[in-house]
Amino acid sequence: MSGRTRDLGLHLLDRQIVDPDGHAVGRVDDVELMVPEDGSPPYVIAMLTGPQALGPRLGGLLGRWVVFWSHALSRGSEAGPGRIGMELVTDFGTDISVSRTRLELGVHANEDRARDYLVGRLPGARGAER
Amino acid sequence: MKRLLGLTLGILTAIGGFVDVGDLVASAVVGARFGMALAWATVLGVIGIMLYADMAGRVAAVSGLATFDVVRQVLGPRVALLNLLASMAVNLLTLTAEIGGVALALELASSVSYLLFIPVVGFLVWLVLWRLPFEQMERLFGLAGLALVVFVVAVVRLHPSYAALWHGSVHPKVPNGEGHPTYFYYAIAILGSAMTPYEVFFFSSGGREERWSERDLAEERANVFVGFPLGAILSLAITATAALVLLPQQIQVEHLDQTALPVVVALGKVGLVVVILGFVAATGGAALETALSSGYAVAQYFGWSWGKFLPPARAARFHAVLLVSVVAAMTLVLTTLDPVKITEYSLVFSVVALPLTYAPILVAANDRRSMGEHANGPFSNLLGAAFLILITVAAVVAIPLMVATKAGQ
């Protein structure tokens, strides 16, 4: 899927990322650009997801506040936002499909925390999948 | 029967827009003060919500995007966040009011103070959110909410002059002793409540919960064309009973029990039992709708996994939002804030949420690349744009009118 020209704002930013099992991975909160030294146009090398990517796009005091708290709550276990290389993208549809599961991508610390400390402790949390 | 069961998503969605606790009281207030002179606002509201719920449902079925997916993609993170905060305020205030509403209905049945019921009601609402599959939930509350049809029966049993009711509806006149600002405040409140944004969050996400695809568009449309008019008819029936029984006696409506009064006059104790059942189902259904709308909106904005079709451990942050919402609403209602007043004040936040929700839906329903032949036609676009202007103007005028009339007093 590399090498094609797309409208970044229209086809990538703010889209939902889903894994091969159809589970939500996150949103494309920001992207990482590579600027070639030979002066050719910059291209996207990775999608960034999570509050530490969203914060800078919100900008201002609110944005800094989001980044600060997300960093504080993560207790240093993850530095910077979740990063998914463009080579993992398998389809640009309404959602962006990637070839690794959300566990393999390791961008799911907050979901895991919500499960481990709150939701997963309540009776019936792992009820049969319907 | 099977066809009726397929329509419960539309019915439950409409309950939140037309017969939630705020509307149950407001419809009777309006009938007791203005007769049928505000029926046009309900009719206008039902056209608007049908138009936009159909667009939101169609987008959910064809392109697979629920409403807050669309809001985030069309508006970007900053403006979408503004909408999210305003919508969450509307959702939380309404959820607070509905939990209070269920408790008030139980007070009506038992004469035990509603505050004592709050912990039980809050727990049961959460339990349904936690355990009951989506389709069973919408069937239980959608069908039980139909108990409110008792208001239609009551209108018939009161043997009114239908010609007079019709005349009062199509030739609206502000009664002596009521000011025009108050009249228009109620008109805007009715319109805003009929088109409240959590309906489209719930309807479109419910469509995703039921895994609608392009093949289900007929079902989607049937839900829109049955559910919302049914809600509007129930709301108009409540207004009519109040206009027939309370207006001639100069009885002012302030509480839920006065909404039930005309039914008791027309149908006696049996009527009261059915009304209370209807109140519990409608306010309970609206509580579920607003709580889920909060979970859907937040999860879709941030791109978390969501939905009742997943076990809670697979949608942990979504369920955390539901849990926190219910606990926060229970706490708020225990401060003894009047549940009916709370829904009126949520109108303030709708000013921001209404245009920022409906404009993106209009954009997404026009995206021919993802919608193909199911994109909006010129008629839907013209009507959609007209309603967008109307609700924006109404929303802006609402706050000065609210202040000037002290919320319609």
Side-chain angles (χ1 to χ4, degrees):
Chain A
M1 294 308 266
S2 60
R4 291 192 53 186
T5 307
R6 286 167 197 282
D7 185 322
L8 188 63
L10 214 54
H11 294 122
L12 193 57
L13 278 176
D14 298 316
R15 298 240 158 187
Q16 178 78 49
I17 309 168
V18 292
D19 75 3
D21 303 328
H23 292 302
V25 173
R27 255 181 212 281
V28 184
D29 289 312
D30 207 347
V31 291
E32 194 176 308
L33 291 175
M34 170 69 92
V35 185
E37 283 178 11
D38 61 4
S40 54
Y43 56 94
V44 178
I45 56 169
M47 303 178 285
L48 305 177
T49 183
Q52 298 194 41
L54 182 64
R57 267 190 84 212
L58 290 174
L61 199 61
L62 178 70
R64 284 202 294 275
W65 187 77
V66 168
V67 172
F68 172 81
W69 278 105
S70 129
H71 204 77
L73 289 173
S74 69
R75 281 177 259 161
S77 63
E78 63 211 293
R83 185 180 179 284
I84 302 167
M86 292 307 284
E87 68 280 4
L88 298 177
V89 173
T90 54
D91 185 37
F92 291 94
T94 312
D95 298 334
I96 309 289
S97 305
V98 293
S99 58
R100 302 269 170 84
T101 67
R102 57 181 189 171
L103 296 174
E104 292 166 339
L105 290 166
V107 293
H108 248 267
N110 290 328
E111 178 78 16
D112 294 344
R113 263 192 292 275
R115 188 189 60 228
D116 295 344
Y117 293 113
L118 178 66
V119 173
R121 297 188 171 193
L122 300 168
R126 279 154 226 279
E129 193 158 349
R130 290 181 291 270
Chain B
M1 191 64 192
K2 191 140 183 276
R3 305 210 60 166
L4 180 66
L5 289 178
L7 301 176
T8 47
L9 176 60
I11 296 172
L12 183 54
T13 308
I15 281 175
F18 291 92
V19 287
D20 79 304
V21 65
D23 299 317
L24 286 172
V25 177
S27 300
V29 169
V30 164
R33 288 176 62 171
F34 301 97
M36 297 307 288
L38 278 161
W40 60 269
T42 306
V43 173
L44 202 60
V46 77
I47 296 170
I49 189 63
M50 282 167 71
L51 187 70
Y52 275 100
D54 175 53
M55 282 187 221
R58 213 167 353 117
V59 170
V62 177
S63 64
L65 297 174
T67 294
F68 232 90
D69 292 322
V70 169
V71 170
R72 170 81 196 256
Q73 283 187 18
V74 171
L75 297 179
R78 285 172 66 97
V79 183
L81 183 65
L82 184 67
N83 184 355
L84 183 68
L85 294 175
S87 297
M88 290 299 285
V90 175
N91 288 347
L92 183 63
L93 290 174
T94 314
L95 175 60
T96 304
E98 306 308 330
I99 289 178
V102 179
L104 282 171
L106 295 174
E107 179 181 298
L108 201 54
S110 66
S111 301
V112 176
S113 167
Y114 79 101
L115 289 170
L116 291 174
F117 290 110
I118 301 288
V120 183
V121 172
F123 177 73
L124 288 176
V125 166
W126 173 76
L127 199 63
V128 170
L129 295 170
W130 182 249
R131 290 302 287 174
L132 201 64
F134 191 88
E135 290 202 332
Q136 289 179 28
M137 177 193 81
E138 64 171 41
R139 285 173 186 179
L140 181 63
F141 285 85
L143 294 181
L146 292 182
L148 291 177
V149 170
V150 71
F151 280 96
V152 179
V153 178
V155 172
V156 175
R157 285 294 295 267
L158 287 165
H159 303 294
S161 154
Y162 291 102
L165 282 179
W166 176 252
H167 188 265
S169 308
V170 294
H171 297 100
K173 227 178 74 199
V174 182
N176 292 333
E178 299 284 0
H180 276 84
T182 319
Y183 179 78
F184 284 109
Y185 170 74
Y186 275 109
I188 289 175
I190 290 169
L191 181 66
S193 158
M195 293 192 70
T196 182
Y198 56 72
E199 287 171 276
V200 284
F201 301 153
F202 183 74
F203 190 66
S204 64
S205 305
R208 300 290 303 139
E209 293 259 23
E210 293 184 13
R211 295 166 192 275
W212 278 354
S213 68
E214 226 173 303
R215 280 174 304 157
D216 302 305
L217 281 175
E219 185 181 334
E220 178 268 322
R221 197 148 286 176
N223 270 280
V224 169
F225 280 87
V226 175
F228 293 102
L230 193 63
I233 287 169
L234 295 179
S235 158
L236 288 174
I238 293 171
T239 303
T241 56
L244 292 168
V245 175
L246 305 179
L247 180 61
Q249 308 282 336
Q250 306 263 308
I251 299 174
Q252 289 289 321
V253 177
E254 274 161 23
H255 299 290
L256 202 54
D257 48 351
Q258 288 149 325
T259 303
L261 194 58
V263 177
V264 181
V265 171
L267 302 167
K269 266 188 190 169
V270 180
L272 183 62
V273 171
V274 182
V275 161
I276 292 175
L277 174 68
F279 282 174
V280 169
T283 51
L288 297 166
E289 178 174 351
T290 46
L292 281 167
S293 291
S294 295
Y296 293 143
V298 174
Q300 287 158 14
Y301 175 87
F302 288 107
W304 303 340
S305 56
W306 55 268
K308 277 171 70 58
F309 62 92
L310 293 168
R314 297 290 288 276
R317 285 177 288 188
F318 169 71
H319 271 282
V321 173
L322 298 186
L323 180 61
V324 169
S325 299
V326 172
V327 171
M330 275 168 63
T331 314
L332 264 176
V333 75
L334 282 174
T335 62
T336 70
L337 284 171
D338 180 355
V340 178
K341 284 272 176 300
I342 294 177
T343 57
E344 287 179 17
Y345 293 126
S346 74
L347 196 64
V348 175
F349 296 99
S350 296
V351 173
V352 177
L354 280 169
L356 291 184
T357 300
Y358 290 121
I361 292 176
L362 189 59
V363 171
N366 270 292
D367 182 359
R368 298 215 166 260
R369 206 177 16 239
S370 61
M371 294 297 290
E373 54 174 321
H374 302 296
N376 270 4
F379 178 71
S380 296
N381 280 336
L382 193 69
L383 212 53
F387 265 98
L388 198 57
I389 294 167
L390 179 69
I391 53 173
T392 309
V393 171
V396 171
V397 180
I399 292 177
L401 270 181
M402 186 182 220
V403 174
T405 64
K406 296 196 182 109
Q409 280 166 18

